[in-house]
Amino acid sequence: MADLTVKIGQLTLKNPVLTASGTFGYGLEYADFFDLSEIGGIVVKGTTLHPREGNAYPRMAETPAGMLNAVGLQNKGVDYFVSHIYPAIKEINTCMIVNVSGSTIDDYVACAARINDLEKIPAIELNISCPNVKQGGMAFGTDCASAAAVVKAVRQVYNKTLIVKLSPNVTDITKIAQAVETEGADAVSLINTLLGMAVNTETRKPVLSTITGGLSGACIKPVALRMVYQTAKAVKIPVIGMGGISCAKDAIEFIIAGATAIQIGTYNFIDPTISVKVAEGINEYLERHGFSSVQELTASLQV
Amino acid sequence: MKYLADWIVVENTPLNVRYCLLRLRLNQELPEMQPGQFVQAKIENSPSTFLRRPISIHYVHRDKREIGLLVQIVGNGTQKLASLTVGEKLNLIYPIGKGFSIPKPDKTKQTLLLIGGGVGIAPLLFLGQTLKQQGFIPEFLLGARTRNDLLCLDDFAAVGAVYITTEDGSIGEKGFVSNHSVLSNTKADFIYTCGPKPMMMAVARYAKRHNIPCEVSLENTMACGIGACLCCVEKTVDGNTCVCTEGPVFNINELLWQI
Ligand SMILES: Cc1cc2nc3c(=O)[nH]c(=O)nc-3n(C[C@H](O)[C@H](O)[C@H](O)COP(=O)(O)OP(=O)(O)OC[C@H]3O[C@@H](n4cnc5c(N)ncnc54)[C@H](O)[C@@H]3O)c2cc1C
Ligand SMILES: Cc1cc2nc3c(=O)[nH]c(=O)nc-3n(C[C@H](O)[C@H](O)[C@H](O)COP(=O)(O)O)c2cc1C
Ligand code: FES
């Protein structure tokens, strides 16, 4: 068995495989299928200061090798999370990370501060990249100054591991990554969904209620991989890679390109047990190639 | 509790060019399954099909560890299901969702009307069989475009009385289910319905006007099927509600349909 542990800020993950926000519920939805403690971590649903109803149905359109979603951060707010969900998930024996979203800097700060008090939540992932709500954070994630401002403000109230999730809907993602690194982010995770759309030709109407939505799944992998590669070269903090990972080989590509850890999103819908399989597959790969630890593989791309 | 396992195809019968009936066997005990619940089927080797496909449980043969799926071919995913051959595997997440409610045992004298259209008849066979086993007397009202689109009539007739409408009048009464004379001749005590949305809305409108409790089974498009993605929501009295976990069956009083 190779050493699969990785370090992200103050965290030590038992392996580099996490599940991505918005695709894994609160973890409990998958507990019937496998032992959740076998994966490195779970990033739970996007949580906001106030409850959000999300967007109108239809919220989903399948695409070749992927899907568009326009969920729009439906959640019951951080107070409900603290009182009703946290008690149910705090015994899950893996690293539980809360994805924090907001429309204003004050919202992000207030939400992060609430979660800072939760003993069994050792990290947050600051979502400055949701494409599906008007002031859904993507505005923060597409501009260096705003990205820096929100991270700076949250850093003042949040003293555990702070991961910042980046939007791919920018000209140069490395600039945003550097801006949040400067303000004290412990790691960056990327990519969130790519802005896309679908048209129903019979009705000449958009398929999604919001017209545009976020593209995820296998079809975005090459774009995500390229961004992870570029970002890992541009920052010193760990990069958590995601976007279209559907098997161990995909995950290994991200790690070789520079990712310290990876997240699996949409593919959980197709194979709810994919995350454990990927963790096992990474171990097999490391053994087969004579690596003693996964950390040796990170950024080992031979160019 | 939900499960994830490979089932073996033991039969795949084309019913006509647009429908097939799949019989699947599991190599272990079947869990508890309720009428109205569904499965999420993994589609292999269809490049344009990325997600699983939700399909209702059409019947359950517990002693043989088998279930039936009635599939309407509408696109590449269902086409793949139709082309599965005996002995092949089909990976399912099962059973999913909240099914139809079964009346209290002292209500066996009630008239229970199960109204289906198109492939929406699929869960009604399992529902009818379950009701009959528990001493109720289910009756079916089934609608289709033509005689050839009416499926599994013998199976339904073995469970209870069957009333029929076709749009072209080739069998049964001509028109839509909501115009069938049985609705004006008898007042049901409970209505269950599954089918195209306009049909279900017409049935719901009838039920509401006549003060008959009514449950409908929704077919919102789904991604995960297990409550993780929030893609399948229906607006209800409780706000945006997941159809895959809180449904697919809803009482019409919970929905915000303009009926
Ligand atoms: C809870 C539930 C139970 C279902 N039970 C059954 C069943 O027992 N038997 C059965 O044959 N089908 C059932 N369906 C519908 C079935 O899931 C879809 O027909 C199927 O996903 C279509 O996949 P496809 O790849 O063949 O078609 P696609 O290529 O995905 O779609 C082809 C066409 O069908 C339409 N379509 C796709 N999905 C749906 C949908 N959910 N409702 C209405 N139209 C749709 C699309 O708009 C498109 O025009 C059920 C759906 C749900 C949500
Ligand atoms: C249905 C759905 C909901 C999502 N919700 C969130 C969210 O609330 N917060 C967030 O940061 N990312 C969200 N994402 C983005 C994913 O976490 C991930 O970044 C993206 O899907 C790319 O990875 P994938 O291709 O493996 O899915 C969502 C994605 C999907 C498909
Ligand atoms: S389909 Fe994902 S929550 Fe219902």
Side-chain angles (χ1 to χ4, degrees):
Chain A
M1 181 90 190
D3 176 7
L4 290 181
T5 59
V6 294
K7 288 206 165 60
I8 307 281
Q10 304 155 43
L11 301 181
T12 302
L13 306 182
K14 60 186 106 173
N15 65 54
V17 181
L18 302 111
T19 53
S21 178
T23 65
F24 210 70
Y26 292 104
L28 302 168
E29 291 82 349
Y30 287 82
D32 285 348
F33 304 120
F34 70 95
D35 177 359
L36 299 174
S37 70
E38 288 180 26
I39 54 177
I42 294 171
V43 187
V44 306
K45 236 172 235 173
T47 302
T48 51
L49 182 60
H50 303 294
R52 290 188 57 100
E53 263 291 283
N55 294 319
Y57 180 85
R59 295 178 169 184
M60 197 278 286
E62 193 177 22
T63 69
M67 61 176 271
L68 290 157
N69 89 81
V71 172
L73 296 175
Q74 178 177 338
N75 79 102
K76 292 188 172 162
V78 72
D79 287 340
Y80 185 89
F81 175 81
V82 171
S83 59
H84 287 78
I85 296 166
Y86 177 65
I89 66 172
K90 71 184 197 327
E91 305 306 335
I92 298 177
N93 183 20
T94 186
C95 188
M96 300 299 289
I97 300 173
V98 177
N99 180 270
V100 172
S101 278
S103 322
T104 65
I105 290 183
D106 290 348
D107 284 4
Y108 277 106
V109 168
C111 194
R114 286 283 273 142
I115 293 169
N116 194 48
D117 299 337
L118 304 178
E119 191 197 335
K120 295 286 174 61
I121 306 289
I124 58 172
E125 181 180 61
L126 209 61
N127 176 7
I128 56 167
S129 44
C130 180
N132 289 328
V133 293
K134 283 198 185 71
Q135 286 115 6
M138 195 170 88
F140 291 105
T142 51
D143 172 79
C144 288
S146 339
V150 67
V151 173
K152 182 176 188 178
V154 169
R155 190 73 281 186
Q156 276 157 19
V157 300
Y158 192 77
N159 51 37
K160 300 187 203 170
T161 297
L162 175 59
I163 303 163
V164 180
K165 185 160 178 184
L166 305 182
S167 171
N169 303 305
V170 293
T171 315
D172 186 352
I173 198 167
T174 65
K175 292 284 187 297
I176 312 275
Q178 288 167 336
V180 303
E181 178 182 38
T182 306
E183 295 304 338
D186 294 307
V188 286
S189 58
L190 59 143
I191 60 175
N192 207 319
T193 53
L194 282 155
L195 205 53
M197 81 182 260
V199 172
N200 180 332
T201 52
E202 294 307 307
T203 58
R204 282 187 283 124
K205 287 184 174 162
V207 178
L208 299 174
S209 68
T210 46
I211 305 178
T212 61
L215 183 65
S216 65
C219 60
I220 70 169
K221 197 192 85 178
V223 178
L225 192 59
R226 182 265 295 175
M227 290 188 167
V228 165
Y229 170 67
Q230 292 174 325
T231 304
K233 285 200 301 181
V235 296
K236 294 190 186 64
I237 51 177
V239 172
I240 303 173
M242 80 193 91
I245 295 177
S246 319
C247 60
K249 180 179 163 294
D250 290 345
I252 292 161
E253 287 185 44
F254 277 83
I255 296 170
I256 293 171
T260 298
I262 58 98
Q263 292 182 18
I264 299 175
T266 309
Y267 208 77
N268 291 304
F269 304 159
I270 293 129
D271 181 355
T273 64
I274 188 62
S275 49
V276 245
K277 288 180 186 158
V278 168
E280 286 162 7
I282 292 172
N283 180 54
E284 273 163 35
Y285 174 90
L286 294 171
E287 289 182 347
R288 188 155 48 83
H289 286 265
F291 289 99
S292 58
S293 81
V294 67
Q295 294 171 35
E296 294 167 33
L297 192 64
T298 293
S300 63
L301 187 73
Q302 309 285 306
V303 283
Chain B
M1 180 91 185
K2 299 177 295 282
Y3 300 83
L4 176 73
D6 286 335
W7 295 62
I8 306 290
V9 178
V10 286
E11 190 185 329
N12 191 357
T13 314
L15 300 179
N16 61 34
V17 287
R18 288 172 49 238
Y19 286 89
C20 72
L21 191 54
L22 269 171
R23 188 152 57 89
L24 307 172
R25 187 175 296 155
L26 191 64
N27 62 9
Q28 57 199 356
E29 280 288 294
L30 300 190
E32 200 58 46
M33 294 193 232
Q34 259 99 47
Q37 288 189 305
F38 62 101
V39 302
Q40 274 275 67
K42 186 160 181 251
I43 311 291
E44 308 283 354
N45 305 318
S46 172
S48 64
T49 311
F50 185 61
L51 298 165
R52 287 178 181 256
R53 292 296 187 262
I55 304 289
S56 306
I57 301 169
H58 181 47
Y59 64 75
V60 176
H61 287 165
R62 180 160 295 280
D63 47 335
K64 296 187 193 150
R65 301 193 306 252
E66 289 177 0
I67 61 169
L69 304 179
L70 178 65
V71 179
Q72 179 184 18
I73 303 162
V74 297
N76 292 343
T78 45
Q79 180 65 58
K80 269 286 164 215
L81 291 176
S83 59
L84 286 172
T85 55
V86 171
E88 278 192 279
K89 286 184 184 140
L90 181 61
N91 186 270
L92 303 182
I93 301 174
Y94 62 94
I96 304 178
K98 296 205 172 86
F100 296 102
S101 55
I102 308 290
K104 298 247 156 52
D106 61 339
K107 300 268 170 68
T108 49
K109 292 279 176 322
Q110 290 193 339
T111 308
L112 309 177
L113 193 55
L114 284 57
I115 306 181
V119 79
I121 66 168
L124 299 184
L125 183 64
F126 183 23
L127 174 62
Q129 288 170 338
T130 306
L131 289 169
K132 189 180 175 191
Q133 267 163 23
Q134 303 196 10
F136 299 95
I137 308 166
E139 297 185 358
F140 301 96
L141 170 54
L142 307 177
R145 251 177 275 168
T146 71
R147 165 185 223 114
N148 292 336
D149 298 309
L150 270 172
L151 309 164
C152 312
L153 275 186
D154 295 344
D155 297 328
F156 285 100
V159 177
V162 180
Y163 308 98
I164 292 169
T165 63
T166 49
E167 287 173 36
D168 68 350
S170 50
I171 179 174
E173 292 185 15
K174 186 172 160 123
F176 297 111
V177 285
S178 47
N179 309 117
H180 195 282
S181 57
V182 67
L183 294 181
S184 33
N185 297 343
T186 48
K187 183 171 181 283
D189 295 298
F190 205 108
I191 292 178
Y192 303 93
T193 184
C194 183
K197 190 150 179 201
M199 185 210 92
M200 289 198 291
M201 287 185 85
V203 171
R205 200 174 298 123
Y206 165 86
K208 192 175 172 191
R209 186 157 353 107
H210 293 84
N211 229 347
I212 304 170
C214 177
E215 289 183 347
V216 302
S217 180
L218 304 184
E219 283 202 358
N220 291 15
T221 47
M222 296 183 176
C224 69
I226 57 172
C229 73
L230 307 184
C231 285
C232 62
V233 295
E234 175 76 17
K235 228 180 169 71
T236 71
V237 289
D238 298 324
N240 283 326
T241 305
C242 271
V243 171
C244 68
T245 52
E246 304 311 308
V249 176
F250 290 92
N251 189 294
I252 55 171
N253 295 331
E254 300 171 85
L255 302 176
L256 303 181
W257 287 2
Q258 300 300 315
I259 47 171

